[in-house]
Amino acid sequence: MRKQVIAGNWKMNKLMGEATQFVDEVKGQVPSFDQVESVVVAPFPYLPKLVQQAEGTDLKIGAQNMHFEESGAFTGEVSPEMLKDLGVTYVVLGHSERRELFAETDETVNKKTHAAFKHNLVPIVCVGETDEQRENGEAESVVETQVKAALKDLTNEQVKDVIIAYEPIWAIGTGKTATAEDANAMCASIRKVVSEFAGSEPAEAIRIQYGGSVKPANVDELMSQSDIDGALVGGASLQPDSFLSLVEAGK
Ligand code: G3P
């Protein structure tokens, strides 16, 4: 039985006061960590404060990106060790906005995934096809390539601990959600790819989230699918009450 992971990706939203108010409000109300992993994925400047606020509660804090290098001349970047040192537990890697707008490649996503394991951070690796790729019938092969590249050279034990977020790009922030059946079919296809790549045990253990216009109104149906193990949520994770109903659905 895989435990669901519901992560709210705030992207580049909220000021410090709003972020701390949010965490104060939800931290005592999220379900127990044994039932569901509830994660707030916040902008870098807020991480130290939010980790401190959430300490000892069932709410976990994640980062939206990091560099794969340990340290050095990388102006503007944040290292895995810096995140670990702050007490961050999850890190989103290869979000489509980073691939599209900041030139992230399958190769850098793979390096970052390795770096996450080196520093005991749980990687949430994003994959997903564009509208055009789906229209052309290429969705599964595009996602397969991304998954294999991200997992390259990981041990089978590490593969089990990866979280893959399937986020079809056409469904992000558009209000268009993949139907629960389509989302589940792609998550099942990802699991098959993992099985061929690393064997059936890692494939059964790996958690696969769906992301793309998830909201309180559709989360139950999505989370009840056999191969969907959680959600990575943008817009609908920004309000405390909405975030709380999403994490409830993960129980
Ligand atoms: O990472 C979450 C994401 O890209 C989906 O965003 O706003 O469609 O839930 P949204």
Side-chain angles (χ1 to χ4, degrees), residues 28 110 132 170 180 209 239:
N110 177 247
E132 200 187 334
W170 48 270
Q209 296 174 309
Q239 296 308 322

Side-chain angles (χ1 to χ4, degrees), residues 158-172:
Q158 288 172 330
V159 171
K160 285 184 191 171
D161 291 335
V162 172
I163 297 169
I164 293 181
Y166 167 57
E167 298 205 324
I169 295 169
W170 48 270
I172 297 177

Side-chain angles (χ1 to χ4, degrees), residues 7-11 92 95-97 126 165 167-169 171-176 210-215 231-238:
N9 175 9
W10 285 355
K11 307 192 178 183
V92 170
H95 191 282
S96 59
E97 287 148 19
C126 302
E167 298 205 324
I169 295 169
I172 297 177
T174 57
K176 279 202 256 172
Y210 168 76
S213 299
V214 177
K215 45 186 183 282
L232 184 57
V233 189
S237 73
L238 291 168

